Amino acid sequence: MAEAEAVQLKEEGNRHFQLQDYKAATKSYSQALKLTKDKALLATLYRNRAACGLKTESYVQAASDASRAIDINSSDIKALYRRCQALEHLGKLDQAFKDVQRCATLEPRNQNFQETLRRLNTSIQEKLRVQFSTDSRVQKMFEILLDENSEADKSEKAANNLIVLGREEAGAEKIFQNNGVALLLQLLDTKKPELVLAAVRTLSGMCSGHRARATVILHAVRIDRICSLMAVENEEMSLAVCNLLQAIIDSLSGEDKQEHRGKEEALVLDTKKDLKQITSHLLDMLVSKKVSGQGRDQALNLLNKNVPRKDLAIHDNSRTIYVVDNGLRKILKVVGQVPDLPSCLPLTDNTRMLASILINKLYDDLRCDPERDHFRKICEEYITGKFDPQDMDKNLNAIQTVSGILQGPFDLGNQLLGLKGVMEMMVALCGSERETDQLVAVEALIHASTKLSRATFIITNGVSLLKQIYKTTKNEKIKIRTLVGLCKLGSAGGTDYGLRQFAEGSTEKLAKQCRKWLCNTAIDTRTRHWAVEGLAYLTLDADVKDDFVQDVPALQAMFELAKTSDKTILYSVATTLVNCTNSYDVKEVIPELVQLAKFSKQHVPEEHPKVGLGTTRRDLCYEASKGGRTEKAVFLALCDNPKDRGTIVAQGGGKALIPLALEGTDVGKVKAAHALAKIAAVSNPDIAFPGERVYEVVRPLVSLLDTQRDGLQNYEALLGLTNLSGRSDKLRQKIFKERALPDIENYMFENHDQLRQAATECMCNMVLNKEVQERFLADGNDRLKLVVLLCGEDDGKVQNAAAGALAMLTAAHKKLCLKMTQVTTQWLEILQRLCLHDQLSVQHRGLVIAYNLLAADAELAKKLVESELLEILTVVGKQEPDEKKAEVVQVARECLIKCMDYGFIKPVS
């Protein structure tokens, strides 16, 4: 029984392989291997699974399976050749050469084997030539770099060549074997920036994807030296060392996705100690005064990227626990830095924000309440330990720390606001005469008033203070932050018109002042950023957004500001645009629940009277397309109106959307892909996505065919793919390779008329592709039957598309003409209905199908002539052809001529 089932599974795997479903084929062969002990069958199964491995590019598995087949039968020529192909892809050319040599011995007349033999021989000779020449090149490069009398041009060229060589596996290995690490250390010792940079970049290339080399380099260079190089003020140097450390971490932790086998795996058994040492040194960098702002930023970036788990499904969060226990206080110290105080560490504009992001990631990575409680207690102890009535600077650091946490894990920040004395200290600092105190306090109040309950508390206790500071201070930095605080409090109710905090007209006055500051280029960039922050809150108000989109200088100033190096501005700009285009997510209002809330005297949100007018979108369309950095939701909102899509395309919106649809959060990618679908559905692809860029559009559109997407996204993606598939066969091939065909077929079964119509129209274009035609030719599927039955639908558009697809398929392959008569008993009735259709385009396609069937086979033609189809062709062919019916009458007459050629009918004089 088991042997019979194994044979059945083998046949099932063969069918999957023919349908190019290689994963399913692999699964069937693997199941069969567990059930049989027959050596011949085992060899076949291993050989077949090796073929699947080659198709899915799993070359290690393919080589292994082929070897097992060869172990059973050493003369298995297919297994030998498949192992040769796998080994060639793995770079083991000498072993691959031996296998194909054996194949050529067994079948000397096989031209394929002879050609492979010649090709591998050439590749091996070239590899040896490069290998022997590389050794001397490496030595020469180091001689030039270490010679103080070398010319600058020669040194620069040698440095660049060394970097390039280090990035290639063969080159990196040659540098390593020729005492390269010691020579690179000598370059580091020269302390010449250009030589040190070249050495760091070469080491980075050597570490990438090779665990053993990365370990040796880490111990040879030493982590403390690497960190000291990263701590320098030079941004280029700091970034290069950061990349080196990242390459080392990836190789040690296995994030490089390389498969470590044999000696390399045996050399390095446990890398946890090295990884912990790297983390410890990075944490020490955060609080060292010797570290530059750039170096601190890079240390934070490395911690952000490598400490929290990539996937919360992974149980082990030991790295996060280690950082919380040994480094959280150090991170809090960075968050609590006040730039105006003399004791402040060197910082950049982004340092505190990066530290807040790290705190947020660490907090989110905790698995249970006890871990979160421990985290909170450390924060509480740190903040309360800073409070000192005798030292105002310490109090300032404490409030700045709370402010930083509020920008990270907001729930934790809210809990810390409840600590005794925190809110009171904020309000007290607002009343201080020292400008630094006011600056920190106002920023803390801004971040604290995100929750409506907190905002209400601050409105009661702090608004009068903020107003007084605004009126009395002459410092523009404090003035604008105070204004943003008032802006945030004014918009605390969000879009709920019933919860507006200030009197009617107050928010418009605040917004006007923000726009004024935004346009004032004499103010520094950081301060103008706060003006955008204020507008990000105030544009929730419909009156404010109406005024803002009419203020072209303010819009242009905002977009120019978005191009600066301060990345924290981008979120404020994106939020402002999301508000102005009404493209934020709105919860569906259920009328029954509204009535229930009113009955129970609960608050029901009110919409502003001006929301929904849609006047803002056209004004922002040009600038949003030009900016290219705005939120994906903004593009989607702008693309909603077909009239605006041309403007977006003209200003490069298509180019900006493609990377947004391929990278970022899942929700963001869907929104960007949907915006692309809207553009692709109605635009000329050659204009919207010129050159090779059009091929990058396919994948985002195919992703929208997922059944988890909503119907509108499915529909517009199908329209976009229809438009693209009508342009060229290369695009049809790309759509096919992205595995869109099964999804398109699924939507042809849909009950929804528009989805079924869009899918059928897309298939009508796709059948021009040879690989798609082969799917229709394959046995054991109902693809052709579905198309024939859709030709019999009542929906004219579906009929038209299905008839077009059937006409092209029957014209391409005679076999499909015969197959059409076998898939359903209704085929003749459907064909007759098409040939008599009221819609001329449908009738024309039906007559083309009839001609294809007549031309395909004499027996089939005889069957058609004996039916009522001959009478239909005669009636249509005898019509007087006017301008509209000319094509229809012509095809009908060609059908009658074909019947005369067979001798089934004779002409009447």
Side-chain angles (χ1 to χ4, degrees):
M1 289 294 288
E3 292 293 332
E5 191 177 346
V7 172
Q8 191 177 350
L9 283 166
K10 186 199 81 168
E11 296 301 325
E12 182 185 292
N14 292 347
R15 286 195 295 274
H16 285 309
F17 190 90
Q18 287 173 355
L19 294 172
Q20 299 181 16
D21 190 351
Y22 304 119
K23 287 186 179 178
T26 301
K27 187 177 178 182
S28 298
Y29 295 141
S30 300
Q31 288 173 342
L33 283 166
K34 295 175 184 176
L35 298 173
T36 184
K37 292 182 180 178
D38 182 83
K39 286 193 174 182
L41 183 55
L42 281 170
T44 303
L45 290 168
Y46 280 124
R47 186 173 67 216
N48 290 357
R49 198 167 74 174
C52 293
L54 289 172
K55 292 291 186 182
T56 57
E57 299 181 6
S58 304
Y59 300 120
V60 174
Q61 185 63 44
S64 174
D65 284 337
S67 296
R68 291 183 180 184
I70 293 163
D71 289 343
I72 296 168
N73 179 7
S74 60
S75 299
D76 190 333
I77 199 160
K78 286 185 179 179
L80 281 164
Y81 189 64
R82 284 169 190 169
R83 187 169 72 175
C84 161
Q85 290 174 296
L87 290 169
E88 184 181 358
H89 282 289
L90 291 169
K92 299 178 179 180
L93 301 182
D94 51 340
Q95 294 178 38
F97 184 84
K98 287 178 183 177
D99 280 345
V100 78
Q101 200 172 36
R102 174 83 174 133
C103 291
T105 304
L106 292 169
E107 282 188 23
R109 293 183 180 180
N110 190 312
Q111 291 299 315
N112 197 18
F113 295 158
Q114 296 297 336
E115 180 58 37
T116 307
L117 203 60
R118 282 193 291 272
R119 190 183 71 249
L120 284 174
N121 185 43
T122 305
S123 299
I124 290 168
Q125 295 302 322
E126 180 63 21
K127 187 178 177 182
L128 288 170
R129 188 185 67 76
V130 172
Q131 193 173 11
F132 287 122
S133 63
T134 302
D135 293 347
S136 57
R137 281 167 58 207
V138 170
Q139 292 296 334
K140 187 71 176 173
M141 285 176 209
F142 279 116
E143 284 173 15
I144 294 169
L145 291 170
L146 292 170
D147 185 0
E148 293 184 1
N149 300 317
S150 294
E151 295 175 16
D153 289 346
K154 282 188 176 180
S155 292
E156 185 181 351
K157 190 175 179 181
N160 289 334
N161 287 341
L162 197 63
I163 294 165
V164 172
L165 202 61
R167 288 174 183 164
E168 297 171 2
E169 174 57 31
E173 190 59 31
K174 278 295 156 195
I175 295 171
F176 190 78
Q177 289 175 2
N178 284 279
N179 197 32
V181 176
L183 293 169
L184 287 167
L185 286 173
Q186 288 181 41
L187 287 181
L188 293 177
D189 291 334
T190 62
K191 298 191 177 172
K192 293 180 180 178
E194 65 278 4
L195 294 182
V196 173
L197 199 59
V200 168
R201 286 174 174 166
T202 306
L203 287 168
S204 182
M206 291 171 68
C207 290
S208 297
H210 202 291
R211 192 182 294 177
R213 274 203 304 265
T215 306
V216 172
I217 288 169
L218 177 64
H219 288 277
V221 184
R222 299 192 324 275
I223 182 62
D224 56 330
R225 187 174 187 180
I226 294 172
C227 289
S228 66
L229 285 169
M230 193 165 73
V232 299
E233 192 66 48
N234 186 322
E235 184 179 358
E236 191 178 18
M237 177 69 73
S238 187
L239 184 60
V241 180
C242 176
N243 289 335
L244 167 59
L245 261 179
Q246 186 60 58
I248 291 171
I249 292 168
D250 285 345
S251 295
L252 295 185
S253 60
E255 292 293 331
D256 53 4
K257 308 297 181 189
Q258 295 284 328
E259 292 187 47
H260 303 288
R261 300 179 304 277
K263 293 179 182 178
E264 189 184 327
E265 182 63 29
L267 282 170
V268 186
L269 296 174
D270 189 6
T271 59
K272 289 180 182 177
K273 186 178 178 182
D274 288 329
L275 288 168
K276 189 174 282 188
Q277 190 183 27
I278 292 169
T279 305
S280 178
H281 275 80
L282 290 174
L283 290 170
D284 290 340
M285 283 183 72
L286 299 183
V287 291
S288 172
K289 280 213 164 191
K290 295 178 182 178
V291 177
S292 67
Q294 290 293 341
R296 211 175 312 279
D297 283 2
Q298 299 306 339
L300 285 165
N301 280 328
L302 286 167
L303 290 167
N304 266 314
K305 187 172 181 181
N306 299 294
V307 173
R309 291 170 289 172
K310 301 288 189 298
D311 183 358
L312 294 179
I314 300 168
H315 189 71
D316 182 21
N317 69 338
S318 56
R319 289 190 198 176
T320 295
I321 298 299
Y322 176 79
V323 171
V324 170
D325 289 340
N326 298 280
L328 182 55
R329 290 173 182 82
K330 295 172 183 177
I331 302 165
L332 291 172
K333 183 174 180 179
V334 176
V335 165
Q337 293 300 297
V338 180
D340 294 334
L341 294 182
S343 60
C344 182
L345 296 167
L347 306 173
T348 68
D349 290 339
N350 299 319
T351 307
R352 289 187 62 249
M353 180 57 73
L354 288 169
S356 294
I357 292 167
L358 179 57
I359 290 172
N360 188 53
K361 285 190 171 184
L362 293 172
Y363 191 73
D364 286 346
D365 200 43
L366 300 174
R367 291 184 293 116
C368 56
D369 287 343
E371 288 180 359
R372 282 184 277 275
D373 288 340
H374 177 59
F375 192 102
R376 178 179 49 78
K377 284 174 184 175
I378 293 173
C379 294
E380 286 179 358
E381 288 169 8
Y382 182 85
I383 292 163
T384 52
K386 285 283 181 184
F387 283 136
D388 186 349
Q390 307 301 320
D391 190 343
M392 188 54 75
D393 286 358
K394 282 189 174 181
N395 294 329
L396 213 55
N397 288 134
I399 298 303
Q400 187 82 319
T401 305
V402 174
S403 180
I405 294 171
L406 283 164
Q407 293 175 75
F410 190 78
D411 291 339
L412 174 62
N414 261 328
Q415 290 177 343
L416 297 175
L417 283 174
L419 284 174
K420 186 178 178 182
V422 171
M423 292 296 286
E424 290 78 5
M425 180 59 73
M426 283 187 193
V427 175
L429 287 171
C430 283
S432 170
E433 293 181 1
R434 194 166 66 158
E435 289 182 342
T436 305
D437 297 350
Q438 292 180 3
L439 203 67
V440 170
V442 170
E443 283 193 24
L445 283 171
I446 291 168
H447 297 308
S449 56
T450 299
K451 284 264 183 175
L452 184 60
S453 56
R454 293 286 172 196
T456 309
F457 173 85
I458 296 164
I459 287 169
T460 308
N461 297 277
V463 169
S464 57
L465 275 171
L466 288 174
K467 286 181 177 177
Q468 188 169 349
I469 293 170
Y470 182 72
K471 289 175 184 176
T472 56
T473 186
K474 292 180 181 178
N475 186 322
E476 289 285 348
K477 292 182 179 180
I478 296 173
K479 203 176 187 76
I480 198 166
R481 283 164 174 77
T482 308
L483 182 69
V484 173
L486 292 168
C487 291
K488 193 168 184 181
L489 294 171
S491 62
T495 55
D496 187 351
Y497 186 62
L499 283 178
R500 57 194 184 281
Q501 302 294 332
F502 295 154
E504 191 74 37
S506 297
T507 48
E508 288 94 313
K509 289 178 183 176
L510 292 171
K512 188 176 180 181
Q513 186 59 50
C514 282
R515 298 205 308 273
K516 183 179 174 183
W517 269 320
L518 179 60
C519 296
N520 187 354
T521 52
I523 302 173
D524 67 276
T525 302
R526 188 68 187 160
T527 305
R528 288 170 68 211
H529 162 221
W530 282 97
V532 184
E533 186 90 6
L535 287 168
Y537 297 118
L538 293 176
T539 46
L540 287 165
D541 184 282
D543 290 317
V544 171
K545 71 179 79 176
D546 241 10
D547 293 339
F548 180 53
V549 295
Q550 303 300 329
D551 190 344
V552 176
L555 273 174
Q556 289 175 339
M558 182 177 74
F559 279 101
E560 286 303 315
L561 206 59
K563 296 174 185 176
T564 60
S565 59
D566 185 358
K567 302 302 179 191
T568 57
I569 294 173
L570 295 180
Y571 185 74
S572 303
V573 173
T575 305
T576 305
L577 287 167
V578 167
N579 293 342
C580 288
T581 54
N582 297 333
S583 52
Y584 36 71
D585 293 327
V586 180
K587 290 183 180 178
E588 184 183 353
V589 177
I590 301 170
E592 291 81 0
L593 291 179
V594 172
Q595 293 299 322
L596 187 63
K598 287 179 178 177
F599 179 75
S600 58
K601 296 182 180 179
Q602 297 293 317
H603 174 73
V604 178
E606 298 174 35
E607 195 175 63
H608 194 287
K610 288 192 178 181
V611 169
L613 293 179
T615 57
T616 61
R617 293 188 177 183
R618 286 185 295 279
D619 299 298
L620 283 172
C621 189
Y622 170 78
E623 289 296 341
S625 301
K626 192 167 85 172
R629 293 183 176 191
T630 53
E631 185 67 48
K632 296 156 189 177
V634 178
F635 268 115
L636 180 56
L638 295 174
C639 291
D640 197 43
N641 188 343
K643 293 179 182 178
D644 293 333
R645 294 175 197 173
T647 308
I648 292 171
V649 169
Q651 299 303 326
K655 179 183 177 182
L657 275 167
I658 291 169
L660 295 176
L662 297 171
E663 300 167 7
T665 63
D666 291 338
V667 174
K669 286 192 286 189
V670 170
K671 287 183 184 293
H674 194 186
L676 273 177
K678 286 177 181 288
I679 291 172
V682 298
S683 306
N684 181 339
D686 298 335
I687 296 170
F689 315 104
E692 297 297 309
R693 193 171 294 132
V694 69
Y695 299 102
E696 297 176 45
V697 180
V698 173
R699 183 171 295 173
L701 296 193
V702 172
S703 70
L704 290 181
L705 298 181
D706 194 298
T707 50
Q708 292 182 348
R709 307 278 83 84
D710 63 48
L712 181 62
Q713 291 168 344
N714 300 151
Y715 176 67
E716 292 187 321
L718 286 166
L719 291 183
L721 289 170
T722 302
N723 199 6
L724 294 177
S725 59
R727 303 308 296 177
S728 69
D729 196 57
K730 280 183 75 176
L731 273 168
R732 288 189 283 273
Q733 187 67 20
K734 175 68 175 172
I735 294 168
F736 179 81
K737 284 188 174 179
E738 291 294 338
R739 296 178 180 157
L741 203 66
D743 291 323
I744 296 168
E745 288 170 348
N746 286 339
Y747 287 111
M748 290 169 71
F749 283 103
E750 269 288 336
N751 291 326
H752 194 287
D753 292 341
Q754 287 179 299
L755 276 175
R756 188 167 69 253
Q757 174 200 324
T760 309
E761 286 175 349
C762 189
M763 184 60 75
C764 181
N765 287 345
M766 287 298 296
V767 294
L768 288 167
N769 180 265
K770 287 185 178 179
E771 291 195 50
V772 175
Q773 291 170 9
E774 286 171 9
R775 290 290 182 96
F776 279 88
L777 283 166
D779 295 327
N781 68 76
D782 291 329
R783 290 187 178 90
L784 190 64
K785 181 179 180 180
L786 173 61
V787 174
V788 174
L789 293 175
L790 285 174
C791 289
E793 286 282 312
D794 294 329
D795 188 322
K797 290 183 178 179
V798 172
Q799 267 190 312
N800 195 43
L806 194 57
M808 285 184 276
L809 286 167
T810 51
H813 296 280
K814 289 183 179 181
K815 184 180 175 182
L816 288 174
C817 296
L818 298 169
K819 190 175 180 181
M820 175 184 162
T821 64
Q822 299 162 4
V823 291
T824 173
T825 54
Q826 301 170 38
W827 70 273
L828 188 55
E829 181 189 340
I830 290 169
L831 180 60
Q832 291 170 356
R833 282 180 61 192
L834 289 176
C835 293
L836 287 170
H837 206 281
D838 295 336
Q839 194 175 324
L840 288 175
S841 61
V842 177
Q843 186 181 21
H844 177 254
R845 294 175 183 202
L847 289 166
V848 170
I849 297 166
Y851 178 81
N852 294 338
L853 297 181
L854 288 167
D857 181 71
E859 285 297 319
L860 178 56
K862 186 178 180 181
K863 190 174 182 180
L864 290 171
V865 169
E866 290 171 352
S867 71
E868 294 175 6
L869 186 66
L870 179 61
E871 187 179 341
I872 295 167
L873 293 172
T874 307
V875 170
V876 177
K878 283 183 177 180
Q879 292 179 14
E880 287 298 323
D882 56 23
E883 190 178 335
K884 292 182 179 178
K885 294 182 178 179
E887 288 185 338
V888 172
V889 174
Q890 180 62 31
V891 177
R893 289 176 179 178
E894 287 175 6
C895 290
L896 292 170
I897 291 167
K898 181 58 70 175
C899 292
M900 283 192 289
D901 292 343
Y902 283 127
F904 297 147
I905 60 172
K906 293 180 180 179
V908 178
S909 58

